[in-house]
Amino acid sequence: MPDRQHHGYGIRAGLGRILQAGLALVVLCLAALPASGATDDQSRNPGDKVIIVGGNRAYPPYEFLDKDGQPAGYNVDLTRAIAKVMGMKVEFRFGAWSEMRTALMNGEIDVLQGISFSEERLGSITFSPPHTIVHHAIFARKDTRPVNSIEELRGKEIIVFRDGIMHDSLRNLGFSGNLHFAETPADALRLLASGAHDYAVVAILPGMYLIRELHLTNVVPVATSIAAQKYCYGVRKGNDELMTRISEGLAILHKTGQYQAIYDKWLGTLEPPPVSWERAVRYGALVLILLLLILAATVVWSRTLQKRVALRTQELARESAERKRALEELRRHQDKLIQADKMASLGILVSGVAHEINNPNGLILLNMPILKEVYQDSVEVLEARYRESGDFPLGGLPYSRMRNEVPHMLDEMLEGSKRIKRIVEELKDFARQDDNSGSDLFDLNQVAQAAVRLVDSSLRKATVNFSAEYAADIPQVRGNAQRIEQVVVNLLLNACQALPNTECRIALATFRVSNARIVALTITDEGVGIAAEHIPRLTDPFFTTKRETGGTGLGLSVSAGIVNEHGGTLKFNSTPGAGTTVILTLPAAEETP
């Protein structure tokens, strides 16, 4: 289960390494090209002259003129960063896209900072390695019948912006007679919103950005990712020295992390948010931090209280020998008072922070079933497209793979959120000493198996010798399965923490006690063991031998309380240096005739 959760991270990291290697290879290849085709002006160091950089005046968020008429956007920041690391001087010249393409061919500008790669354009333009991928979409009015692919546009009137990559692509596909041209993506979407023509084909990010900024409420994307184009720098054929410097600058920005910062600034906020389970992990980390703060405050309060009680005890001892019996009585009740105050402090802190934890977690629990239904409702459409058009990307991965991964991801995120809620509720229940232990029938084998799955990552880190044996004939138990599962989780985590190395063994087993209606579970580890004088105090609240490593003494105390509520027992057999065996027993439910 944990391998599947982290699988997306591994794929993205691998793709990043491939892209960086590709950039470095292209830079080396370009550097090796002969310069015989360059003009005298081009053969000089590009840093000796101002490089004229052309851009589209209205292609946000990639490049555009801001409200002050100054160049802005992702491409502009990227070009400035390349110029800085390569020591080049650049000057921006913005205009209509068709004018900029003509200006490049006429030599009026040196480079186009944002141009999509195509085989057709290779005849006159030299491209850099792609610095991003631009996905194109079909937009329509809300009252227009939606389409799912470019082929469904045949016979329809389509708006594109002139000389863009989709103009070239649709023309090559035989759509010339159906095309209507606009000078910018904004003009294309305004024209569509006004009721003219049927559809517009525009890059998805500029399209969504302009719909929001221009308040075009009657225009929506009806087919996304119909085409994915490599977005590059482009120079006129023959200007290889300039392209070499630009490509080298791009590679440097990737290595130093500047590229990612620029990408996140302009494009990260407009792309879909990360997979939701990452948010669940962040909320889980927040819960953990809050719990640690609660425990830290409890420890500080506990130590302060201990110091005060000790000082008062010393004063009473010095005052009078006649108070000796009272002092002895006070000492007998001292430990109980300390623990009672600790529990009161914990209850106050839990009640104050539980609401703040449950609010964000409640959003996850509310939204995850809706997201799951949304995905399930879209499966039929996705499968239809898969059958008709073959595999296609979904979230950056092939749909043939994601069709199996997404349901698992959604289920795991929902289960993680429920786990957060259950942990908070267990702590709250412990603080208010709730006696309700549940009355449902459950199978101890299933509870133990669920606990093993939950701590699978910790088990694999702690040992390579974990084994589990589940008896086939044990009767059911009446009580709260989730609480017993928490007990087994605590016992397994304690066993993991006790192992000195990964070669040591942990074994779990369930069985039925002979001649008695009792079911039992044992967990045996080959860890460091427990000193004999500590065993009677293991289930005392806040007692721990691992405080310097973050132990709080709550886990076994809570576990013992849960077992007692179910009428069971929790026993420990240990030999220092040889390991520990924990025996959990529970009464079997009465058999119905």
Side-chain angles (χ1 to χ4, degrees), residues 54 152 184 192 195 304 337 378 422 476 579:
E152 293 184 41
T184 67
L192 180 67
T304 302
L337 175 62
S378 65
R422 189 160 64 248
Q476 290 188 315

Side-chain angles (χ1 to χ4, degrees), residues 419-436:
R419 180 70 177 158
I420 292 172
K421 180 179 180 181
R422 189 160 64 248
I423 291 172
V424 173
E425 290 301 326
E426 289 289 351
L427 194 55
K428 288 170 64 180
D429 290 345
F430 172 71
R432 64 172 174 258
Q433 297 182 351
D434 185 4
D435 293 330
N436 181 18

Side-chain angles (χ1 to χ4, degrees), residues 324-341:
K324 184 176 181 180
R325 185 166 51 182
L327 180 58
E328 292 174 353
E329 186 71 18
L330 176 63
R331 286 174 177 171
R332 282 198 300 269
H333 294 285
Q334 180 179 333
D335 288 340
K336 293 183 179 179
L337 175 62
I338 292 173
Q339 300 307 326
D341 282 339

Side-chain angles (χ1 to χ4, degrees), residues 33 97 165 195 211 228 261 272 302 324 350 372 375 445 469 552 578 585:
L33 288 174
W97 175 245
I165 188 65
I211 287 173
S302 168
K324 184 176 181 180
V350 169
K372 188 173 182 180
Y375 175 74
N445 282 343
E469 296 183 7
T552 64
T585 64

